[in-house]
Amino acid sequence: MRIDIVTVLPGLLESPFSHSILQRAQNKGLVTIEVHNLRDYSGNKHRSVDDYPYGGGAGMVMSVEPFANCIDHLRTERAYDEIIFMSPDGELLDQPMANALSLKSNLLILCGHYKGIDERIREHYVTREISIGNYVLSGGELPAAVLVDAVVRLLPGVLSDETSALSDSFQNGLVDGPVYTRPANFRGWKVPDILLSGNTPEIEKWRFEQSLERTRKRRPDMLK
Ligand code: SAH
């Protein structure tokens, strides 16, 4: 998989992709993530990428030309399955969406800033708008990192235990149950006996019941 991200603040995306699972996925060649500085495509000598909003009002708007230049250039190199704009008014990111996107080959993600981006980019280039939640952040970089993490961990070979993403919350319509590791007894706080029993079918059954119970308590909406 190949993911290109366009941002005015490339530095914001350095750390999320250079640790742990996302870094390993890149080292293994399972995903290539390229971050592009929008300012390189500004088309003016001041490298500016924003301007005052037509009609007045607070906040700057990201200009149409730098995004258009950048996307046109990237599209000469490959065809994108989706051109995604991270936006608080987009479709809410959820597990099925991450699953579907993990089957794509080339994704291009655009990060907004300030008041947002010129609507013409959304009209003429963007194929999909995604929100990570009903709140407003200062920029699309953290949302882009969230989306990339959710997608990349699903690529075959990224997680060391290949089935482990499948047993995560939401994959089977339930949230995950409780998990424990050693010691079995810490200050008298004990691990449930069943987990020490070695009886795999019973343990699986217990896990499923816990998962169901937790979903019922915390996310009854998921059982409807
Ligand atoms: N004025 C806009 C918010 C701009 S916030 C509005 O009210 O809708 C600046 C940028 O941050 C946005 O263009 C978007 O790229 C990003 N952003 C902020 N919150 C987000 C969220 N919940 N999900 C995805 N992207 C978000």
Side-chain angles (χ1 to χ4, degrees):
M1 173 178 257
R2 159 97 187 194
I3 302 175
D4 291 275
I5 306 177
V6 180
T7 167
V8 71
L9 291 167
L12 265 182
L13 287 167
E14 275 163 24
S15 173
F17 301 147
S18 40
H19 301 278
S20 182
I21 289 170
L22 288 187
Q23 184 191 44
R24 249 195 347 257
Q26 295 171 86
N27 291 346
K28 282 186 177 172
L30 300 168
V31 63
T32 302
I33 303 171
E34 283 289 334
V35 177
H36 307 272
N37 190 339
L38 186 65
R39 289 191 195 281
D40 295 341
Y41 298 89
S42 72
N44 62 68
K45 63 174 187 298
H46 307 292
R47 288 168 59 82
S48 77
V49 292
D50 61 335
D51 210 333
Y52 294 99
Y54 273 120
M60 300 298 276
V61 174
M62 297 183 83
S63 314
V64 63
E65 190 181 354
F67 274 114
N69 289 344
C70 180
I71 300 167
D72 288 346
H73 170 74
L74 292 175
R75 284 210 298 206
T76 63
E77 294 173 350
R78 66 189 50 78
Y80 289 96
D81 299 300
E82 299 278 10
I83 298 181
I84 298 168
F85 175 50
M86 304 311 301
S87 182
D89 61 5
E91 290 168 83
L92 263 189
L93 176 62
D94 61 7
Q95 195 60 54
M97 193 197 293
N99 293 351
L101 289 174
S102 76
L103 302 174
K104 308 283 185 187
S105 307
N106 297 312
L107 300 178
L108 175 53
I109 304 177
L110 313 178
C111 305
H113 245 278
Y114 318 114
K115 201 60 197 148
I117 69 177
D118 191 300
E119 189 67 19
R120 289 166 289 184
I121 291 297
R122 300 171 71 166
E123 276 170 23
H124 296 286
Y125 286 99
V126 169
T127 61
R128 194 141 191 192
E129 304 195 326
I130 300 178
S131 165
I132 64 160
N134 293 329
Y135 41 82
V136 174
L137 299 166
S138 337
E141 290 75 18
L142 299 180
V146 167
L147 175 65
V148 169
D149 189 316
V151 168
V152 168
R153 67 196 298 285
L154 299 170
L155 300 177
V158 168
L159 296 185
S160 36
D161 174 0
E162 289 207 17
T163 61
S164 111
L166 296 177
S167 68
D168 281 335
S169 290
F170 307 113
Q171 284 295 15
N172 55 358
L174 300 174
V175 300
D176 227 351
V179 292
Y180 301 87
T181 185
R182 286 187 291 184
N185 185 344
F186 177 73
R187 299 180 184 165
W189 307 336
K190 293 201 182 124
V191 169
D193 287 337
I194 177 77
L195 294 177
L196 312 175
S197 70
N199 185 338
T200 310
E202 282 303 310
I203 292 174
E204 286 307 313
K205 190 165 152 255
W206 181 85
R207 286 198 169 133
F208 177 74
E209 287 162 5
Q210 291 291 314
S211 191
L212 191 60
E213 186 49 28
R214 190 164 279 203
T215 309
R216 210 175 272 135
K217 276 208 190 105
R218 300 186 182 191
R219 294 296 307 274
D221 57 296
M222 288 172 64
L223 295 173
K224 279 194 190 116

